[in-house]
Structure formats: structure tokens, C-alpha cells
């Protein structure tokens, strides 16, 4: 996920297509707008992604996000549809004080989700809190139970992503080499785009 966010910023900064539009919002800050199709493409290229369930004792096996489609960016949140595959999945439960393991085997699940996105200024951390808004039930009791547990797993936590600063741009003058550094000051989710506010400063090599 760290490299996904680094790629996102790099693509947004270096792309010369008309889809990207960077403007100065004051004398010292640059606002970079990355459109929804670019975000959707980056999300697809970051998959498949295996979920860490090691601290969630009710689910065993390998859980992998295979696809995320229908991505829409709105104020403060990302909306999408996700497909998850489970391999050698088991559900651990307790009945009358006895620990039981229900072997589900392999399962494919899909659901709609809403993910709130917030950036903590100065921390270089982007936090994503997913929430499942609609589950597509299969009629299979074990798979539907697994789906409910996954909803609890995903919606009960906030996922921090490290957001590194951009690599500096190099400018060569007659007798000096200058570096233009771009620090990420803020990240905003707006309808149809992700907005990065960057603070540039210059140093000598």
C-alpha cells in the first residue's frame, strides 16, 4: 500500500495529459488535482491484495481482495464495489462454551463499500476507514456468515498508509544545481478527483 500511494503521487505530478491540472492556490502552495479515472486505474494495478487477519481470531485462511470496480470519488469518501476471494477459509466460533471451527473452504464474496479518507497534516499518514454499505448474499449460509464477519473486520478499523514526499526535481543553472522539494501538506477527496496540496521549497545541491 505504501508503494501504491507513492505511485499515485508520482503519476499525478509527472503526467502531462490533459486529465491533470495543477494550480497555485496561494503564493506558496500548489494544488494538484488527480481525476477519478487515474485513481481507478491505480487501484486496479495495486490488486490483488491479501488482507491481514492475524489479529482477528474468528476467521482463518487466506482472504484476498481481487477486484475493486465502480469507483466514485465524492466529498471526503471513495465509493466502490469489491470482490473478495477466500481460500481454505474457516470460521471459529463458540457454542455452549465449546470452541468450534466451521470449514467453509473457498468462497467468493462481493459488496459495496464506502471508505472515508482523511490526512493528518504533519504526520505523512493517510487514513482509510472502509464501511460495507451493501452485501450481496449468496444464499449459502456459511458464505453469508463469512461475509458478515468480513464486514465486521473491515469496518472496525482505520488503515494508516504512509504518504512519502515527492522526490525532488533537479534544476541545473550555469553554476548551481537546485532541488525543488514538494511536501504533501493536505489530501482532500472531492467529487470526481483527489486533491493534493503541496508545499514547495528550494535547496542547493
Amino acid at each position: 500500500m505504501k508503494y501504491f500511494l507513492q505511485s499515485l503521487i508520482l503519476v499525478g505530478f509527472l503526467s502531462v495529459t490533459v486529465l491533470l491540472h495543477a494550480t497555485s492556490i496561494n503564493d506558496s502552495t500548489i494544488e494538484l488535482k488527480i481525476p477519478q479515472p487515474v485513481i481507478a486505474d491505480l487501484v486496479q494495478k495495486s490488486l490483488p491484495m491479501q488482507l491481514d487477519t492475524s489479529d482477528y481470531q474468528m476467521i482463518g485462511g487466506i482472504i484476498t481482495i481481487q477486484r475493486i470496480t465502480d469507483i466514485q470519488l465524492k466529498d471526503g469518501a471513495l465509493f466502490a464495489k469489491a470482490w473478495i476471494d477466500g481460500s481454505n477459509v474457516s470460521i471459529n466460533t463458540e457454542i455452549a462454551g465449546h470452541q468450534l471451527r466451521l470449514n467453509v473452504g473457498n468462497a467468493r464474496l462481493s459488496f459495496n463499500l464506502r471508505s472515508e479518507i482523511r490526512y493528518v497534516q504533519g504526520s505523512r499518514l493517510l487514513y482509510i476507514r472502509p464501511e460495507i454499505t451493501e452485501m450481496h448474499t449468496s444464499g449459502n449460509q456459511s458464505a453469508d456468515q463469512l461475509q458478515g464477519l468480513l464486514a465486521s473486520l473491515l469496518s472496525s478499523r482505520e488503515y494508516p498508509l504512509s504518504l512519502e514526499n515527492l522526490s525532488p526535481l533537479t534544476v541545473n543553472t550555469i553554476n548551481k544545481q537546485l532541488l525543488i522539494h514538494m511536501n504533501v501538506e493536505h489530501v482532500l477527496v472531492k467529487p470526481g478527483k483527489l486533491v493534493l496540496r503541496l508545499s514547495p521549497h528550494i535547496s542547493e545541491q
Side-chain angles (χ1 to χ4, degrees):
M1 292 296 286
K2 170 183 176 181
Y3 299 107
F4 162 65
L5 266 299
Q6 290 176 327
S7 299
L8 185 154
I9 298 177
L10 187 60
V11 169
F13 189 75
L14 296 180
S15 176
V16 294
T17 67
V18 296
L19 293 174
L20 285 181
H21 178 58
T23 58
S24 176
I25 60 174
N26 57 45
D27 290 339
S28 60
T29 305
I30 293 173
E31 188 173 90
L32 183 67
K33 301 173 184 177
I34 307 178
Q36 185 172 286
V38 176
I39 301 299
D41 189 43
L42 285 167
V43 169
Q44 294 308 318
K45 286 180 169 57
S46 72
L47 301 176
M49 181 184 303
Q50 186 173 325
L51 294 178
D52 181 11
T53 61
S54 58
D55 60 345
Y56 195 71
Q57 302 300 318
M58 296 186 69
I59 299 177
I62 300 173
I63 307 295
T64 305
I65 301 176
Q66 293 290 355
R67 285 197 300 151
I68 297 178
T69 63
D70 301 331
I71 291 175
Q72 296 183 52
L73 296 174
K74 300 183 180 180
D75 283 324
L78 179 149
F79 295 79
K81 184 175 182 179
W83 278 263
I84 288 184
D85 282 353
S87 177
N88 298 319
V89 176
S90 61
I91 298 173
N92 302 314
T93 187
E94 182 177 327
I95 299 178
H98 298 282
Q99 297 292 329
L100 299 177
R101 173 178 292 181
L102 175 63
N103 292 318
V104 177
N106 299 330
R108 170 160 289 187
L109 311 172
S110 64
F111 47 81
N112 296 344
L113 59 84
R114 176 186 186 274
S115 297
E116 290 187 1
I117 299 174
R118 67 181 183 93
Y119 180 69
V120 178
Q121 190 171 4
S123 69
R124 298 183 185 176
L125 289 176
L126 188 72
Y127 290 92
I128 299 178
R129 180 186 292 275
E131 176 188 359
I132 294 178
T133 58
E134 181 182 357
M135 294 187 292
H136 306 288
T137 58
S138 65
N140 180 286
Q141 183 177 359
S142 297
D144 291 344
Q145 185 179 0
L146 173 61
Q147 198 167 42
L149 291 174
L150 280 175
S152 175
L153 170 65
L154 289 172
S155 302
S156 63
R157 63 182 66 185
E158 202 171 39
Y159 297 88
L161 303 176
S162 177
L163 191 60
E164 302 295 334
N165 288 324
L166 291 169
S167 298
L169 299 177
T170 302
V171 177
N172 293 309
T173 65
I174 295 176
N175 57 357
K176 289 184 178 180
Q177 187 176 72
L178 304 177
L179 298 178
I180 303 176
H181 305 267
M182 291 287 183
N183 299 325
V184 180
E185 296 293 334
H186 203 26
V187 179
L188 300 170
V189 182
K190 297 291 185 180
K193 57 182 175 288
L194 185 73
V195 178
L196 304 179
R197 289 182 179 167
L198 308 173
S199 176
H201 67 276
I202 300 173
S203 65
E204 295 185 15
Q205 179 72 12

